[in-house]
Amino acid sequence: MTPFDYIRPATLPEAVRAGSAPGSAYLAAGTNLLDLMKGGTLRPERIIDITRLPGLDRIDWLHDGSVRIGALVRNSDLAYDDRFARTFPAVAEALLSGASAQLRNAATVGGNLMQRTRCAYFHDPASACNRRSPGSGCDAREGENRLHAVLGWSEHCIATHPSDFCVALTALDAVAETEGEHGTREIAVDALHALPGATPEQETALAPGELIVALRIPAEAARFAPRSRYLKLRERTSYAFAIVSAVAALDVQADTIRGARIALGGVAAKPWRAREAEASLIGAAATAEAFARASELALAEARPSGDNAFKIELARRIVARALALARGGTPEIMPALPASPFSTVPGADHAA
Amino acid sequence: MGYHMSLSIRLTINGQPRDVALDDPRVTLLDLLRERLHLTGTKKGCDRGQCGACTVLVDGRRINSCLALAASMDGAQITTIEGLADGETLHPVQATFIAHDGFQCGYCTPGQIMSAVGLINEGRAGDDPERIRELMSGNICRCGAYQGITEAVLEAQKILSDDEKRDAA
Ligand SMILES: Cc1cc2nc3c(=O)[nH]c(=O)nc-3n(C[C@H](O)[C@H](O)[C@H](O)COP(=O)(O)OP(=O)(O)OC[C@H]3O[C@@H](n4cnc5c(N)ncnc54)[C@H](O)[C@@H]3O)c2cc1C
Ligand code: SF4
Ligand code: FES
Ligand code: FES
């Protein structure tokens, strides 16, 4: 790590002022920031420790039934909050499928949203990487790119966003509340992460120094509580990032789908909401044929960015299977292996 | 609060209050424990959050000390493997790891044991071996002692809950 100054502000305005100076980086739990600093990908001159900012570690239920989650709430505390897990089970399942128990105990929700890509070349300062060092090129294009993007990528960058949590949030229309030098604003989680285009270094919609203070999930998303799942395929059973993942949430009444939410992880530089696929399900019966059609639509624009054509067919199957699992109903208790296709909970449809 | 050269923090480590002067804010909790406080029971495997060898309890919760900035831990209660035994009496998790051959070379063991203590505190696994394995997945064992580890955690959890029931009676 290169040397830095350490600052621990006591108030939000102080934090934003310090964080807006060039060379500053916010420190939450540090599980991503310190990792990137050790490897030399990030070299901040000033670390602004936000962990002591007051009031950001609460889960509040608002009068309209929506929930407001402070940016410093730990991933495990949110996933294990009973009311939260009952109301937004796919979000809890996504959280519990991420990283390890130790990391989830430390990691904050703000840090999870703002974590960076796991592209190996981004993590290696000796490699060319437009995202880390604009204009230097992209070593992933001709390199190890089995796990890279199949949707929304550009010639300049083919990286994926690694968060599981964000996939479920995007599906449920969650919104981030931010505070910056120019005041407060709200950004839909779906609009928080940018596709690379010609400027992959512009990773998010946040201005320099803009701090996420909370997340909100609208009350309306609770209608999916009885039928929502997160499904994540990994290269080992646990403690691994997604190769491909999907959240599926259904509102089924009298055998007809009244509402549907679908988003994919591991396929693009942002969590990928599949709105056309959702629309195709409205008014349809919840059948395997309808799910297959939706999965085709979800991947209609996909193309390989390297050695990863397999991810397209895999993603279709993960979407179709996530929908089938959602139709089967949210499990009574969290599966022993959250989000795993190999889970042994009843209702898991191994033949899908 | 702005720090440049020297930064002083207070930690309670295994029950003992310690004032620590950090000459450099870059030090992680893991390096602080091992290099400066000479508590070398906590191990460094990957130094990047990928193995669990560095697991300690911070305010009772298991975390990876290699990805925690020491300066940010100011005021915390830290428990390391050195703080588990009561004199010559091993903690139940230590005892069951021995009884069930929960290790071979032993390098991952302090992290496994601290993680198991954290898991039992969390109370989410019940007596389901699949849940134990899943919730211990943040601890890699290159020797592959997983079978013994799962058995050790299950038995330690049973001993601790029996103790609790006895204390309550
Ligand atoms: C081995 C390993 C495996 C992992 N596996 C998974 C996985 O399977 N799935 C998954 O989703 N994640 C996984 N993760 C990533 C993990 O979820 C993130 O590291 C964690 O969520 C980051 O949270 P943090 O509080 O530690 O953030 P920090 O590391 O403190 O911060 C991360 C970034 O966010 C910025 N930041 C933090 N808080 C805010 C805020 N409030 N406003 C604006 N910017 C902010 C920081 O400046 C920094 O750039 C894994 C990590 C490791 C090390
Ligand atoms: S894919 Fe993106 S992050 Fe990876 S090397 Fe290319 S530019 Fe960098
Ligand atoms: S040394 Fe901390 S996780 Fe490996
Ligand atoms: S006992 Fe050797 S690594 Fe686990």
Side-chain angles (χ1 to χ4, degrees), chain B residues 105-148:
Chain B
C105 76
Y107 196 82
C108 70
T109 313
Q112 299 278 3
I113 289 176
M114 296 314 293
S115 189
V117 173
L119 177 152
I120 293 168
N121 288 344
E122 288 157 18
R124 296 276 162 190
D127 56 5
D128 178 352
E130 195 173 26
R131 285 179 197 271
I132 303 258
R133 281 193 293 273
E134 164 64 18
L135 292 172
M136 287 295 289
S137 74
N139 294 82
I140 307 290
C141 175
R142 293 300 298 270
C143 299
Y146 297 111
Q147 178 67 28

Side-chain angles (χ1 to χ4, degrees), chain A residues 1 4-6 8 29 31 34-35 38 49 52 76-77 80 101-103 105 238-239 334 336-337 344, chain B residues 1 3-4 25-26 47-50 55 61-62 64 66-67 71-72 74 115 122 130-131 134 137 139:
Chain A
M1 281 191 244
F4 55 80
D5 287 346
Y6 173 80
R8 193 194 298 150
T31 62
L34 295 181
D35 192 7
K38 287 181 184 192
D49 183 346
R52 309 306 161 92
S76 54
D77 290 338
Y80 288 135
Q102 289 96 314
L103 287 158
N105 276 345
S238 179
Y239 198 13
M334 185 61 67
L337 307 177
T344 48
Chain B
M1 228 194 273
Y3 298 106
H4 198 63
R26 285 180 288 181
D47 207 25
R48 304 295 278 271
Q50 298 179 6
T55 303
R61 293 158 65 102
R62 51 180 166 154
N64 305 95
C66 68
L67 290 184
S72 188
D74 195 5
S115 189
E122 288 157 18
E130 195 173 26
R131 285 179 197 271
E134 164 64 18
S137 74
N139 294 82

Side-chain angles (χ1 to χ4, degrees), chain B residues 30 43-54 64 66:
Chain B
L30 175 60
K43 300 300 181 219
K44 183 184 282 192
C46 64
D47 207 25
R48 304 295 278 271
Q50 298 179 6
C51 76
C54 64
N64 305 95
C66 68

Side-chain angles (χ1 to χ4, degrees), chain B residues 8 19 21 24 30 50 83 96 98 128 130 149 158-159:
Chain B
S8 144
D19 288 311
D24 188 326
L30 175 60
Q50 298 179 6
T96 58
I98 294 171
D128 178 352
E130 195 173 26
I149 291 169
K158 191 168 177 303
I159 293 170

